[in-house]
Amino acid sequence: MSTLLINIRYTSGNDFALTMHCELPAHGVTAIYGPSGSGKTTLLDCIAGLRHPDLGSEIRLGDTTWLSPALTLPPWQRRIGYVFQEARLFPHLDVEQNLRFGLSRSGQKAPLTYDEVADLLELTAFRSRHVDALSAGQKQRVAIARALLSAPRLLLLDEPLANLDHAASRDCLRCLQRLSQELRLPMLYVSHDIEEVSQIADHLLLLEAGRMVEQGSLLSLCSRLDTHLSREEKAAAILTATVAGHDSTFGLTKLSVEGQTLLVNRLPDAPGLQRRVRVPARDVSVCRERPGDSSILNIVGVTITEVEDTDATRLLLRLSLGSQHLLARITRKSAVELGLRTGDKVYAQVKSAALLIETVDHT
Amino acid sequence: MSLNATELDALRLTVSLAAMTTAILLVLSTPLAWWLSRRQGNVTAFIEAVVAMPLILPPTVLGFYLLLLFAPSTVVGRLWHELTGSQLAFSFSALVIGSVIYSLPFVVQPLQSAFARVPNSLLQAAATLGATPLDQFRSVVLPLTRRSFIAAASLGFAHTIGEFGVVLMIGGNIPGETQVLSIALYDSVESLRFEEAHSLAAALVVFAMVLLFFLYRVEKGGSWRIRA
């Protein structure tokens, strides 16, 4: 598999520095996640060639060199698609002309035709409209389509959902998920929203204050206790589950995870399909005995593999469920009263409402 | 109110001077204004000051220095003579050069402020879509600033028509060669031919009025705004 090699140092006037030495997979969706000001956009700009890293920096995609001490390829020769936070559509052109802007300049056969892209991003209805007459969500989808039609080798997305309302952002995310499944186009997806990231990414790069903290597969990074992900209020583990069957009486779907069963609100999928399940740490509690009369449906047997102090009153537990992991945030008081220790076999209760069902896994 | 042969000559000369000056100015000002709109610093400020000088200097000052520069004894004058076989001072070519300098700020400034309104973010988007800098200029900047080109050209043209001091200093008053409308008018008044002066003056007033009216219409009618 080819990779995207990034070996850069970028310094700007106001004492900000971005230093990055890493190799990212050149397939699937890699999320670049970090707080604002951590250098996410700067990193994308350097990859696109819109900013110039210090001398000695290197960027390579597969065997194509974009930046090396001897060569700086300008943005218009890198064949990258860049979807910015704002759509940046050309105001003097209508939707169709905006889309054709990249198409006519790529000099390459786009992996999808104009009609296929318009169809995939649900643009067919307003092709001939002026860009001012579009909603924010439509604009952003036009911007994504425009980038795709320039036949890019890498798609950069800089918080593409940041300026959209909930419904528009859901539509846009659905389109992006479909793209990532149907195209063999590597994407770098910048976001500071971990829920968004866990819906689309396969690979995760954590950035903090201009430095890479960690990179790895989304599933493994999310269940670790030693990254800043686990310290966030929204910390959650992500499990891969298989649809096992449906319970039509109560409108539920049975998911099988490592031989145990989780019940979630009814899904449209056929049994056998793989699904990602996001389980927030704050919605998981533990008990010593299997509770017999709880209103909580999902109770799974787990082993405590790690205990981490997060703050004065709370602890974070890493619970193994076969080869996968759950996180549980509990109070220090409960931990002491239950005498919880690493290695203990306990029962985890998961509120079924807390299970977020997301995309089909495409790794 | 009809114009005699001398006046018709002056009119023809004025219009061709203004047309030629405007054409040269558009070619020179476009890259200059683009450069100024995308840069900041001492060098830019200095160039901007030089471009703006004709706005405050009395035209006679400019004319005086140009006259000295165009004299057959200077390098410029000699070189011109060698290349064309005629002298530069008191020629139509001298008027064109003088007018280009004199009307430069009237073309550069509207273009510069229009270019400055084109957001860099759009150019970056164009670059990532495969557009070279020249292509970005042609397919993004030019369409977005089209109206300002009309305004800049009209202002440059009108300002050249209204020129007097510079022309008088470097062109003199040779009918058919350097006698433009404003000079012909001055000439008529000097020799007390008020009838002639009236028709010339009235023609200039009407021309200025029509042109400015048209300009303001263009500006307000469809002034575009950039939305990113």
Side-chain angles (χ1 to χ4, degrees), chain A residues 48 50 75-76 80-82 84 86-93 98 101-102 105-106 132 139 146-147 150, chain B residues 120-133 135-136 138-141 143-144 225-228:
Chain A
L50 298 175
W76 53 92
I80 30 110
Y82 199 153
F84 303 90
E86 345 75 65
R88 301 197 187 180
L89 301 180
F90 301 119
H92 59 293
L93 303 176
N98 264 283
F101 193 97
R105 282 166 179 81
S106 70
D132 286 336
K139 279 185 190 168
R146 183 178 67 172
S150 68
Chain B
N120 224 6
S121 60
L122 286 184
L123 301 181
Q124 290 185 336
T128 63
L129 292 165
T132 62
D135 185 6
Q136 291 164 33
R138 202 177 44 81
S139 53
V140 179
V141 179
L144 286 176
R225 230 164 271 117
I226 290 178
R227 278 157 284 225

Coordinates of all heavy atoms in Angstrom, one line a residue, chain A residues 48 50 75-76 80-82 84 86-93 98 101-102 105-106 132 139 146-147 150, chain B residues 120-133 135-136 138-141 143-144 225-228:
Chain A
A48 N -1.4 21.0 0.5 CA -2.0 21.5 -0.7 C -1.0 22.4 -1.5 O -1.1 22.6 -2.7 CB -3.2 22.2 -0.5
L50 N -0.4 25.5 -0.5 CA -0.9 26.9 -0.3 C 0.0 27.6 0.7 O 0.0 28.8 0.8 CB -2.3 26.9 0.1 CG -3.3 26.3 -0.9 CD1 -4.7 26.3 -0.3 CD2 -3.3 27.1 -2.2
P75 N 0.5 24.3 -6.2 CA -0.8 23.6 -5.9 C -1.5 23.1 -7.2 O -2.1 22.0 -7.1 CB -1.6 24.7 -5.2 CG -0.7 25.8 -4.9 CD 0.6 25.6 -5.6
W76 N -1.4 23.9 -8.3 CA -2.2 23.5 -9.5 C -1.5 22.3 -10.2 O -2.1 21.8 -11.1 CB -2.3 24.7 -10.4 CG -1.0 25.4 -10.8 CD1 -0.2 25.1 -11.9 CD2 -0.4 26.4 -10.1 NE1 0.8 25.9 -11.8 CE2 0.8 26.8 -10.8 CE3 -0.7 27.2 -8.9 CZ2 1.6 27.8 -10.4 CZ3 0.1 28.2 -8.5 CH2 1.3 28.5 -9.2
I80 N -4.6 17.8 -6.0 CA -5.3 17.5 -4.8 C -6.7 18.2 -4.9 O -6.8 19.2 -5.6 CB -4.6 18.2 -3.5 CG1 -3.8 19.4 -4.0 CG2 -3.7 17.2 -2.8 CD1 -4.4 20.6 -3.5
G81 N -7.7 17.7 -4.2 CA -9.0 18.3 -4.1 C -9.0 18.9 -2.7 O -8.6 18.3 -1.8
Y82 N -9.5 20.2 -2.6 CA -9.5 20.8 -1.3 C -10.9 21.3 -1.0 O -11.3 22.2 -1.8 CB -8.4 21.9 -1.2 CG -8.0 22.4 0.1 CD1 -6.7 22.9 0.3 CD2 -8.8 22.2 1.3 CE1 -6.3 23.4 1.6 CE2 -8.4 22.7 2.5 CZ -7.1 23.2 2.7 OH -6.7 23.7 3.9
F84 N -12.8 23.5 1.5 CA -12.5 24.4 2.6 C -13.7 24.4 3.6 O -14.8 24.0 3.3 CB -12.2 25.8 2.1 CG -11.1 25.8 1.1 CD1 -11.3 25.6 -0.2 CD2 -9.8 26.0 1.6 CE1 -10.2 25.7 -1.1 CE2 -8.7 26.0 0.7 CZ -9.0 25.8 -0.7
E86 N -15.4 27.1 4.3 CA -16.5 27.8 3.5 C -16.4 27.2 2.1 O -15.3 26.8 1.7 CB -16.2 29.3 3.5 CG -15.3 29.9 4.4 CD -13.8 29.6 4.1 OE1 -13.4 30.1 3.0 OE2 -13.1 28.9 4.8
A87 N -17.5 27.2 1.4 CA -17.5 26.5 0.1 C -16.6 27.1 -0.9 O -16.0 26.4 -1.8 CB -18.9 26.5 -0.4
R88 N -16.4 28.4 -0.8 CA -15.5 29.1 -1.8 C -15.9 28.9 -3.2 O -15.1 28.6 -4.1 CB -14.0 28.8 -1.6 CG -13.5 29.1 -0.2 CD -12.0 29.1 -0.2 NE -11.5 29.2 1.1 CZ -10.2 29.3 1.5 NH1 -9.3 29.2 0.5 NH2 -9.8 29.4 2.7
L89 N -17.2 28.9 -3.5 CA -17.7 28.8 -4.9 C -17.4 30.1 -5.6 O -17.4 31.2 -5.0 CB -19.1 28.5 -4.9 CG -19.5 27.2 -4.2 CD1 -21.0 27.0 -4.3 CD2 -18.8 26.0 -4.7
F90 N -17.2 30.0 -6.9 CA -17.0 31.2 -7.7 C -18.3 32.0 -7.9 O -19.2 31.4 -8.5 CB -16.3 30.9 -9.1 CG -15.0 30.2 -8.9 CD1 -14.8 28.9 -9.4 CD2 -14.0 30.7 -8.2 CE1 -13.6 28.2 -9.2 CE2 -12.8 30.1 -8.0 CZ -12.6 28.8 -8.5
P91 N -18.4 33.2 -7.4 CA -19.7 33.9 -7.4 C -20.1 34.3 -8.8 O -21.3 34.6 -9.0 CB -19.4 35.2 -6.6 CG -17.9 35.4 -6.6 CD -17.3 34.0 -6.8
H92 N -19.2 34.3 -9.8 CA -19.6 34.8 -11.2 C -20.0 33.6 -12.0 O -20.3 33.8 -13.2 CB -18.5 35.5 -11.8 CG -17.2 34.7 -12.0 ND1 -16.4 34.3 -10.9 CD2 -16.5 34.2 -13.1 CE1 -15.4 33.7 -11.3 NE2 -15.4 33.6 -12.6
L93 N -20.0 32.4 -11.5 CA -20.4 31.2 -12.2 C -21.6 30.5 -11.6 O -21.8 30.6 -10.4 CB -19.2 30.2 -12.3 CG -17.9 30.7 -12.8 CD1 -16.8 29.6 -12.7 CD2 -18.0 31.2 -14.3
N98 N -19.3 26.1 -12.0 CA -18.4 25.9 -10.9 C -17.9 24.4 -11.0 O -16.7 24.2 -10.8 CB -19.1 26.1 -9.6 CG -18.8 27.5 -9.0 OD1 -17.8 27.7 -8.5 ND2 -19.8 28.4 -9.2
F101 N -15.3 23.8 -13.7 CA -14.1 24.6 -13.5 C -12.9 23.6 -13.3 O -11.9 23.7 -14.0 CB -14.1 25.5 -12.3 CG -13.0 26.5 -12.3 CD1 -13.2 27.8 -12.7 CD2 -11.8 26.2 -11.7 CE1 -12.1 28.7 -12.7 CE2 -10.7 27.1 -11.7 CZ -10.9 28.4 -12.2
G102 N -13.1 22.6 -12.4 CA -12.0 21.7 -12.2 C -11.9 20.6 -13.2 O -10.8 20.2 -13.6
R105 N -9.8 21.6 -16.2 CA -8.4 21.8 -16.0 C -7.6 20.6 -15.6 O -6.4 20.7 -15.5 CB -8.3 22.9 -15.0 CG -8.5 24.3 -15.5 CD -8.7 25.3 -14.5 NE -8.9 26.6 -15.0 CZ -10.1 27.0 -15.5 NH1 -11.2 26.2 -15.4 NH2 -10.2 28.2 -16.0
S106 N -8.3 19.5 -15.2 CA -7.5 18.4 -14.6 C -6.6 17.7 -15.6 O -5.6 17.2 -15.3 CB -8.5 17.4 -14.0 OG -9.2 16.7 -15.0
D132 N -25.5 31.9 -5.4 CA -26.0 32.7 -4.2 C -27.4 32.2 -3.8 O -27.9 32.4 -2.7 CB -26.2 34.2 -4.6 CG -24.9 34.9 -4.7 OD1 -24.0 34.4 -4.0 OD2 -24.8 35.9 -5.4
K139 N -24.2 24.5 -1.0 CA -23.0 25.0 -1.4 C -21.8 24.1 -1.1 O -20.9 23.9 -1.9 CB -22.7 26.4 -0.7 CG -23.4 27.5 -1.3 CD -23.0 28.8 -0.6 CE -23.9 29.9 -1.0 NZ -23.8 31.1 -0.2
R146 N -17.1 19.7 -7.0 CA -16.2 20.5 -7.8 C -14.8 19.9 -7.6 O -14.0 19.7 -8.5 CB -16.2 22.0 -7.4 CG -15.3 22.8 -8.2 CD -15.5 24.3 -7.8 NE -15.0 24.5 -6.5 CZ -14.8 25.7 -6.0 NH1 -15.2 26.8 -6.6 NH2 -14.4 25.9 -4.7
A147 N -14.4 19.6 -6.3 CA -13.1 19.1 -6.0 C -13.0 17.7 -6.6 O -11.9 17.4 -7.2 CB -12.9 19.0 -4.5
S150 N -12.1 17.4 -10.4 CA -10.8 17.8 -10.8 C -9.9 16.5 -10.8 O -8.6 16.7 -10.9 CB -10.2 18.9 -10.0 OG -10.0 18.5 -8.7
Chain B
N120 N -8.4 36.3 -1.6 CA -7.4 35.3 -1.9 C -7.9 33.9 -1.8 O -7.5 33.0 -2.5 CB -6.3 35.5 -0.8 CG -4.9 35.4 -1.4 OD1 -4.8 35.4 -2.7 ND2 -3.9 35.4 -0.6
S121 N -9.0 33.7 -1.0 CA -9.5 32.3 -0.8 C -10.0 31.8 -2.1 O -9.9 30.6 -2.4 CB -10.6 32.4 0.3 OG -11.7 33.2 -0.2
L122 N -10.6 32.6 -3.0 CA -11.1 32.1 -4.3 C -9.9 31.7 -5.2 O -10.0 30.7 -5.9 CB -11.9 33.2 -5.0 CG -13.3 33.5 -4.4 CD1 -14.0 34.5 -5.3 CD2 -14.1 32.2 -4.3
L123 N -8.8 32.5 -5.1 CA -7.7 32.2 -5.9 C -7.1 30.8 -5.5 O -6.6 30.0 -6.3 CB -6.7 33.3 -5.9 CG -7.2 34.6 -6.3 CD1 -6.1 35.7 -6.3 CD2 -7.7 34.5 -7.7
Q124 N -7.1 30.6 -4.1 CA -6.5 29.4 -3.6 C -7.4 28.2 -4.1 O -6.9 27.2 -4.5 CB -6.5 29.4 -2.1 CG -5.5 30.3 -1.5 CD -5.5 30.2 0.0 OE1 -6.4 29.8 0.7 NE2 -4.3 30.6 0.6
A125 N -8.7 28.4 -4.0 CA -9.6 27.4 -4.5 C -9.3 27.1 -6.0 O -9.2 25.9 -6.4 CB -11.1 27.8 -4.3
A126 N -9.1 28.1 -6.8 CA -8.9 27.9 -8.2 C -7.5 27.2 -8.4 O -7.4 26.3 -9.3 CB -8.8 29.3 -8.9
A127 N -6.6 27.5 -7.6 CA -5.2 26.9 -7.7 C -5.4 25.4 -7.4 O -4.8 24.6 -8.1 CB -4.2 27.5 -6.7
T128 N -6.1 25.0 -6.4 CA -6.2 23.6 -6.1 C -7.0 22.9 -7.1 O -7.0 21.6 -7.2 CB -6.9 23.3 -4.7 OG1 -8.2 23.8 -4.7 CG2 -6.1 24.0 -3.6
L129 N -7.8 23.6 -7.9 CA -8.6 23.0 -9.0 C -7.8 22.9 -10.3 O -8.3 22.6 -11.4 CB -9.9 23.7 -9.3 CG -10.9 23.6 -8.1 CD1 -12.0 24.6 -8.2 CD2 -11.5 22.2 -8.1
G130 N -6.5 23.3 -10.2 CA -5.6 23.1 -11.4 C -5.3 24.4 -12.2 O -4.8 24.3 -13.2
A131 N -5.8 25.6 -11.7 CA -5.6 26.8 -12.4 C -4.2 27.4 -12.1 O -3.9 27.7 -11.0 CB -6.7 27.8 -12.1
T132 N -3.4 27.7 -13.2 CA -2.2 28.4 -13.0 C -2.4 29.8 -12.6 O -3.6 30.3 -12.8 CB -1.4 28.4 -14.3 OG1 -2.1 29.1 -15.3 CG2 -1.1 26.9 -14.8
P133 N -1.5 30.6 -12.1 CA -1.7 32.0 -11.8 C -2.4 32.8 -12.9 O -3.3 33.6 -12.7 CB -0.4 32.5 -11.4 CG 0.4 31.3 -10.9 CD -0.1 30.2 -11.7
D135 N -4.1 31.7 -15.4 CA -5.5 31.2 -15.6 C -6.4 31.7 -14.5 O -7.5 32.1 -14.7 CB -5.4 29.6 -15.5 CG -6.7 28.9 -15.8 OD1 -7.7 29.6 -16.1 OD2 -6.7 27.7 -15.7
Q136 N -5.9 31.7 -13.2 CA -6.7 32.3 -12.1 C -7.1 33.7 -12.4 O -8.2 34.1 -12.1 CB -5.8 32.3 -10.8 CG -5.5 30.9 -10.2 CD -4.4 31.0 -9.2 OE1 -4.2 31.9 -8.5 NE2 -3.6 29.9 -9.1
R138 N -7.3 35.2 -15.3 CA -8.2 35.3 -16.5 C -9.6 34.8 -16.2 O -10.6 35.3 -16.6 CB -7.6 34.4 -17.6 CG -8.0 34.8 -19.0 CD -7.3 33.9 -20.0 NE -7.2 32.5 -19.6 CZ -8.2 31.6 -19.8 NH1 -9.3 32.0 -20.3 NH2 -8.0 30.4 -19.4
S139 N -9.6 33.7 -15.4 CA -10.9 33.0 -15.2 C -11.6 33.4 -13.9 O -12.8 33.1 -13.7 CB -10.8 31.5 -15.4 OG -9.9 31.0 -14.5
V140 N -10.9 34.0 -13.0 CA -11.6 34.4 -11.7 C -11.5 35.9 -11.5 O -12.5 36.6 -11.4 CB -11.0 33.7 -10.5 CG1 -11.6 34.2 -9.2 CG2 -11.0 32.2 -10.6
V141 N -10.3 36.5 -11.6 CA -10.2 37.9 -11.3 C -10.8 38.8 -12.4 O -11.6 39.7 -12.1 CB -8.7 38.3 -11.2 CG1 -8.5 39.8 -10.9 CG2 -8.0 37.5 -10.1
P143 N -13.3 38.2 -14.7 CA -14.8 38.3 -14.7 C -15.3 39.0 -13.5 O -16.4 39.7 -13.6 CB -15.2 36.8 -14.7 CG -14.0 36.0 -14.9 CD -12.8 36.8 -14.7
L144 N -14.7 38.9 -12.3 CA -15.2 39.6 -11.1 C -14.9 41.1 -11.1 O -15.6 41.8 -10.4 CB -14.5 38.9 -9.9 CG -15.0 37.6 -9.5 CD1 -14.2 37.0 -8.3 CD2 -16.5 37.6 -9.2
R225 N -20.9 42.0 -5.7 CA -20.3 41.9 -4.4 C -19.8 40.4 -4.3 O -20.4 39.5 -4.9 CB -21.3 42.1 -3.2 CG -20.8 43.0 -2.2 CD -22.0 43.5 -1.3 NE -22.6 44.7 -1.9 CZ -23.9 44.8 -2.3 NH1 -24.6 43.7 -2.2 NH2 -24.4 45.9 -2.7
I226 N -18.7 40.3 -3.6 CA -18.1 38.9 -3.6 C -18.6 38.2 -2.3 O -18.5 38.7 -1.2 CB -16.6 39.0 -3.6 CG1 -16.1 39.4 -5.0 CG2 -16.0 37.6 -3.3 CD1 -14.7 39.5 -5.2
R227 N -19.2 37.1 -2.6 CA -19.6 36.3 -1.4 C -18.8 35.0 -1.5 O -18.8 34.3 -2.5 CB -21.1 35.9 -1.5 CG -21.9 37.1 -0.9 CD -23.3 37.0 -1.5 NE -23.3 37.5 -2.8 CZ -24.2 38.3 -3.3 NH1 -25.2 38.8 -2.5 NH2 -24.2 38.8 -4.5
A228 N -18.1 34.7 -0.4 CA -17.2 33.5 -0.5 C -18.0 32.3 -0.2 O -19.1 32.3 0.3 CB -16.1 33.6 0.6

